[in-house]
Amino acid sequence: MSEISPQKFLDFVSFFDKRNPNHIEAFKKLATEIDSDLMEDDADWVKLYRTAPPKPEVSTTDSANTLINKEQLASIWICSPSLIKDEEVSELNACLNQFAVNTPSRLRHFLSQTAHESGGGRYKKELASGWDYEGRSDLGNTQSGDGPRYKGAGYIQLTGRANYQAFANFIKDPAVMQGVDYVAEKYPFTSAGFWWQNNRMNQLCDQNPSVRDVTLRVNGGTNGLDDREMYYQRCLKAIP
């Protein structure tokens, strides 16, 4: 247990304007006149002051955090808003906030690319069986059944045991390792955002790229470029 010096006491008071000499002198005076018990390092007020406040829970339905609403998503996906669940919009906005997909360019390219990859939100997982991935050590598929278990999931398809494990570690949800169905239902956008971040897509979007430029990084080629362009044009209208 140690005594708090007047100078240390001043350091506690971080909210006052240190440029104002009257404030400084006032707190110096307070430090000399305050009860000695309150100047101990383990005083209750000191412990309370040093304890960080709890982080507020972020609601993705809060308008301050809603970057894309249901009507905008429906206009991009070319479907009725009634076909989109509230939880899908919440998961989308949680993803956008988490991975800072939060400028018009980033949003337009992310949503146009994921729209193409998912057939306008229709497909959350790869249609093929996944057996072609069986035994692919480059994907970390070292155990029997890893191919179909860890086939493409989400709107930019997360593929392979190693990538699933990296995502599970990042999101701190070991249930991700259950495989494709779990990720497809719970994290369709978030898994795509994880890929987006790892591949520095925000930085690319900040350079005013063409749809072709973005497609080359997402696809490794220009497969489906016309469709991606079409979705991008819809994003231009939905996201001013």
Side-chain angles (χ1 to χ4, degrees):
M1 185 169 66
S2 61
E3 186 176 344
I4 299 173
S5 68
Q7 183 57 52
K8 191 173 182 180
F9 179 77
L10 288 177
D11 292 340
F12 273 104
V13 191
S14 60
F15 61 83
F16 69 89
D17 186 352
K18 292 184 178 180
R19 295 168 298 179
N20 188 327
N22 290 337
H23 287 174
I24 296 174
E25 291 305 314
F27 279 106
K28 282 182 179 178
K29 184 174 177 58
L30 177 61
T32 60
E33 297 181 0
I34 198 168
D35 190 302
S36 60
D37 290 342
L38 295 177
M39 293 297 286
E40 297 295 339
D41 200 44
D42 63 348
D44 288 344
W45 77 270
V46 175
K47 294 177 182 178
L48 182 61
Y49 188 91
R50 286 174 171 164
T51 302
K55 292 182 179 180
E57 292 187 7
V58 175
S59 170
T60 55
T61 60
D62 188 327
S63 60
N65 297 303
T66 300
L67 294 165
I68 297 294
N69 61 39
K70 186 181 291 188
E71 287 69 27
Q72 287 173 297
L73 185 59
S75 71
I76 295 166
W77 279 358
I78 320 174
C79 70
S80 167
S82 64
L83 296 176
I84 300 175
K85 299 176 182 177
D86 290 341
E87 52 265 35
E88 291 180 291
V89 180
S90 292
E91 197 258 339
L92 165 61
N93 281 283
C95 164
L96 299 177
N97 282 284
Q98 181 170 17
F99 298 107
V101 184
N102 53 12
T103 68
S105 178
R106 295 176 183 185
L107 288 165
R108 291 164 184 161
H109 283 295
F110 179 78
L111 288 167
S112 59
Q113 291 291 329
T114 53
H116 167 78
E117 296 288 338
S118 66
R122 293 177 179 84
Y123 310 113
K124 296 180 180 180
K125 60 184 178 181
E126 187 175 356
L127 296 178
S129 68
W131 282 109
D132 286 346
Y133 302 125
E134 188 73 358
R136 285 274 302 273
S137 58
D138 58 316
L139 295 173
N141 290 344
T142 58
Q143 299 182 28
S144 177
D146 278 357
R149 183 179 299 114
Y150 300 121
K151 71 177 186 176
Y155 291 144
I156 295 180
Q157 295 177 355
L158 185 73
T159 307
R161 174 182 282 274
N163 290 320
Y164 273 70
Q165 188 64 68
F167 180 58
N169 294 343
F170 175 84
I171 210 72
K172 295 181 173 58
D173 183 0
V176 163
M177 299 311 292
Q178 292 176 17
V180 58
D181 290 337
Y182 181 84
V183 173
E185 286 305 313
K186 189 171 179 63
Y187 299 119
F189 275 114
T190 305
S191 59
F194 178 66
W195 182 94
W196 195 261
Q197 174 177 269
N198 287 345
N199 287 273
R200 299 177 59 81
M201 298 301 295
N202 282 343
Q203 290 84 342
L204 176 60
C205 292
D206 292 345
Q207 297 170 22
N208 193 31
S210 66
V211 174
R212 187 178 189 278
D213 293 334
V214 176
T215 299
L216 283 170
R217 190 173 296 185
V218 172
N219 178 253
T222 57
N223 182 52
L225 182 58
D226 288 346
D227 194 56
R228 296 173 202 266
E229 290 274 12
M230 180 274 292
Y231 279 118
Y232 184 76
Q233 291 302 314
R234 299 192 71 84
C235 287
L236 285 176
K237 294 180 180 178
I239 304 166

